Amino acid sequence: MFSSMAFCVFIHRTDSIYDDVPSERHQFPKRYLSRAQQCEGDWVVYLEPTKVKDTKGSFAVAKVQEIIPDPGNQEMYLDVIEPGTYLDFGDEVPFRDQGSVIEQGLLNDQGNISGRAQAAVRPLSPADFARIVERGLGHDEDILPRVDPDTPFEGFSEAPQPFQHLTARDRVTQITNRAIRDRNFRKTVLRAYGERCAITGLRLINGGGRAEVEAAHIRPVEHDGPDIVSNGIALSGTAHWMFDRGLVGLDDDMTVLVSRQANDPDAVRSMINVTAKLIAPQRLADRPRAEFVRWHREHVFKH
């Protein structure tokens, strides 16, 4: 039942000494076991520490499927993430905003940050979970379909309703909604690639100020591909169409491959940027993971 849900914060950094793959597992010492068990079967927020340069803050959410002993280290345990639940936030959530911490549960009676902030695994109140997810998903206009601001509304005119913050239950419903996940995935991928097509190198902005580039899953969702940046590429509409149909693919070194089954392979090659390789994100953790690239080459690309 939602009423008995419990939430946690997992601290993670890309240079972690732990065997972490946030979309799949989170490794932690035995001393945190009782805390982690509180959110087994429920949702967690991933947080990058403030001491990390250019920290992402709270950057993702996921559901813990189960907790198991680490088979390779008797002093460690693993939070196993339920497949298909991990989601990178379209808008990273800072630890502090305008002098106040987002995670209000860290404040003590004097209003200062308590020692709990140093814990790698810690409980998170439903209110804090809802607040962080609200910030991570961004404003409604970033999630809901665009509407023409000049479109008249029919019927009686009413005063605008005040904004209402959704509950933790509502936020869980949001992050499991396919349409919202797709739009959030697009935001994270386009930000990682600077709104530039990774194959052609073009960065086109339409008259409304929006990037004319799409977020492509390397391993599709229908084939168990996760909604993570490292399973995504920013592509123009044409490049996306060719990638999904296997007319272009990627080698292990990110060289763009052109299928021999393409009607006009020379024309396709002329579209590829001068490096002949994918223009990858600067952040190493955002670059395509080898297993996804290999899956696309073996199951989609037409050799």
Side-chain angles (χ1 to χ4, degrees):
M1 296 292 292
F2 279 106
S3 59
S4 61
M5 291 183 77
F7 305 97
C8 286
V9 168
F10 287 172
I11 289 183
H12 169 80
R13 50 189 298 168
T14 53
D15 60 351
S16 173
I17 62 172
Y18 295 111
D19 182 24
D20 289 352
V21 179
S23 61
E24 300 173 7
R25 64 183 181 273
H26 175 261
Q27 186 187 50
F28 63 92
K30 183 184 294 185
R31 65 179 179 273
Y32 290 124
L33 178 60
S34 61
R35 293 182 185 175
Q37 286 175 328
Q38 295 179 40
C39 59
E40 187 172 15
D42 287 320
W43 292 81
V44 299
V45 168
Y46 280 105
L47 171 68
E48 193 169 60
T50 54
K51 58 185 176 182
V52 173
K53 183 181 179 181
D54 299 324
T55 176
K56 297 186 292 183
S58 295
F59 63 90
V61 65
K63 185 177 182 181
V64 177
Q65 179 172 283
E66 61 178 336
I67 297 175
I68 61 173
D70 188 336
N73 188 333
Q74 63 180 358
E75 295 300 316
M76 306 294 285
Y77 281 79
L78 296 174
D79 289 293
V80 179
I81 301 303
E82 182 176 313
T85 64
Y86 179 94
L87 183 67
D88 284 314
F89 285 146
D91 294 324
E92 295 161 355
V93 183
F95 182 76
R96 292 178 181 271
D97 185 40
Q98 298 180 350
S100 177
V101 296
I102 304 298
E103 190 181 340
Q104 293 287 296
L106 293 178
L107 301 179
N108 57 25
D109 293 339
Q110 288 74 44
N112 299 317
I113 298 177
S114 69
R116 293 192 300 274
Q118 304 302 316
V121 176
R122 59 176 181 262
L124 182 69
S125 73
D128 281 340
F129 175 82
R131 185 181 305 110
I132 292 171
V133 173
E134 176 185 317
R135 293 285 297 268
L137 293 182
H139 301 296
D140 287 344
E141 58 265 27
D142 294 328
I143 297 174
L144 300 176
R146 263 190 304 172
V147 295
D148 187 342
D150 295 326
T151 301
F153 290 93
E154 297 181 356
F156 295 101
S157 175
E158 296 181 357
Q161 295 297 313
F163 177 78
Q164 293 183 345
H165 296 283
L166 301 181
T167 66
R169 175 176 181 170
D170 293 327
R171 292 299 175 187
V172 169
T173 299
Q174 275 195 321
I175 57 183
T176 56
N177 178 278
R178 185 69 252 164
I180 289 178
R181 293 180 72 88
D182 283 343
R183 293 174 188 180
N184 206 69
F185 176 74
R186 181 180 187 272
K187 289 169 65 177
T188 60
V189 171
L190 266 58
R191 181 177 63 233
Y193 284 83
E195 301 182 338
R196 185 181 304 277
C197 175
I199 286 181
T200 67
L202 294 176
R203 185 177 185 272
L204 301 176
I205 305 298
N206 65 24
R210 298 205 175 200
E212 289 291 348
V213 69
E214 302 169 359
H217 285 84
I218 302 172
R219 180 168 182 161
V221 173
E222 56 267 29
H223 292 286
D224 302 320
D227 294 306
I228 59 177
V229 176
S230 56
N231 186 40
I233 308 177
L235 297 175
S236 66
T238 300
H240 191 175
W241 182 88
M242 292 191 298
F243 188 80
D244 283 353
R245 283 154 183 78
L247 299 179
V248 294
L250 297 172
D251 209 339
D252 289 338
D253 66 353
M254 296 297 117
T255 297
V256 180
L257 304 174
V258 178
S259 171
R260 289 177 295 183
Q261 299 185 36
N263 291 336
D264 190 345
D266 289 336
V268 175
R269 291 190 186 93
S270 71
M271 295 175 56
I272 301 171
N273 73 85
V274 294
T275 70
K277 292 189 175 184
L278 191 84
I279 302 175
Q282 292 185 348
R283 192 194 292 261
L284 292 177
D286 291 344
R287 296 179 182 177
R289 271 176 37 191
E291 62 264 38
F292 301 137
V293 170
R294 191 178 308 114
W295 186 95
H296 181 273
R297 193 168 60 245
E298 293 175 355
H299 297 87
V300 179
F301 181 68
K302 297 175 180 176
H303 295 271

